[in-house]
Amino acid sequence: MRGVDADSREPAPIMTPPPAGAPALATRLAVPAGVLAAVVGAFAYVGNVDPNEPGHYPVCPLLRFTGLYCPGCGGLRSAHAFVHGDVLTALHANAPAVLGYLGFAVLWTVWVVRAARGRPVRVDLGPVHLWALGTSLLVFTVVRNLPFGGWLHP
């Protein structure tokens, strides 16, 4: 007989797995903490090793071979200035990078709050958002390489 102990004819206890509860808070926050540690480490390195001094970082290949600034040109100088609290210099070096730093801070905070509450993080960028972001970076790149866009040079 199934579910019944053969000797006593009483129902055998049904073994159920432990409830699938949410993992511990430390487990849920491990990945966001690791990402933050990596970002803080990168910013600490860039903050200590000045990109304005030649020889510390590789040169942008697009700038080296064509003389054109890519959307990332000045990003390290921007991060260096940002770490040192000079937001205006950071914006001058690469404004989209500063917006990226702030965007990362907001998304990371949302990630931590949702992870602490046991909820998944979902960033749903539709095609319109991605096209707008790509178009903005393209316009920034074109304008910074035109004669009147000299104020956007890093």
Side-chain angles (χ1 to χ4, degrees):
M1 277 189 219
R2 196 167 175 182
V4 175
D5 188 355
D7 293 334
S8 64
R9 301 286 178 207
E10 293 181 22
I14 298 174
M15 301 299 286
T16 58
L25 180 63
T27 304
R28 293 192 309 259
L29 295 178
V31 174
V35 169
L36 182 64
V39 170
V40 166
F43 269 83
Y45 181 80
V46 172
N48 285 321
V49 180
D50 191 357
N52 296 307
E53 299 291 325
H56 294 294
Y57 298 99
V59 178
C60 173
L62 184 68
L63 180 62
R64 182 177 199 160
F65 295 121
T66 66
L68 297 174
Y69 294 104
C70 77
C73 280
L76 288 173
R77 285 175 281 222
S78 174
H80 181 78
F82 194 80
V83 166
H84 290 280
D86 191 357
V87 178
L88 289 177
T89 302
L91 285 167
H92 180 264
N94 193 321
V98 174
L99 294 175
Y101 311 149
L102 299 175
F104 171 80
V106 169
L107 287 175
W108 185 85
T109 303
V110 169
W111 185 14
V112 167
V113 169
R114 290 189 65 85
R117 293 179 179 170
R119 296 182 180 165
V121 176
R122 187 174 178 110
V123 178
D124 265 338
L125 294 178
V128 172
H129 299 107
L130 296 175
W131 277 101
L133 180 64
T135 303
S136 299
L137 286 175
L138 180 64
V139 168
F140 170 73
T141 304
V142 169
V143 170
R144 83 185 313 198
N145 285 294
L146 292 175
F148 63 85
W151 56 280
L152 291 173
H153 292 177

